[in-house]
Amino acid sequence: MRGQLPPSFVEYTLRDGAAGVLVAACRDGDCEFRLGNRMTAERLQGRREPRLRAGVGAERLELVFAGPGDQPALNDALARLRQRVRSMPMPTDPHRRLHHA
């Protein structure tokens, strides 16, 4: 959600066939607008508008606070997400659109 994309983009990504979504937010104190990392977390937790809809499976979402040089943190977060979704069945949403082969 770089650039403060709304949480609905997480939903769109999952609906379009992604098994999971990794959201990288600023480290504490690194956001240009000071509280961006906290606001991102609150939106994804459904505590701040615009919020992620309750029907979106939080288990398919991984949030990491990272900045320049934090590649190991990003790699770890991605590994956690992959491990978690690997054992999950893909949702059977009739409105789901698969665009990727």
Side-chain angles (χ1 to χ4, degrees), residues 7-76:
S8 57
F9 277 77
V10 170
E11 183 180 353
Y12 300 155
T13 303
L14 293 170
R15 187 175 58 206
D16 280 352
V21 177
L22 174 66
V23 177
C26 303
R27 289 182 296 198
D28 193 27
D30 280 357
C31 284
E32 183 175 345
F33 297 105
R34 195 170 54 99
L35 300 177
N37 56 341
R38 186 177 82 194
M39 290 179 185
T40 297
E42 289 173 354
R43 287 180 175 125
L44 293 175
Q45 295 164 354
R47 298 183 330 193
R48 174 184 283 277
E49 292 291 342
R51 68 186 74 221
L52 186 62
R53 293 182 191 183
V56 176
E59 66 279 358
R60 296 188 180 276
L61 174 66
E62 182 74 25
L63 174 62
V64 61
F65 299 101
D70 286 340
Q71 191 64 43
L74 290 168
N75 291 342
D76 291 346

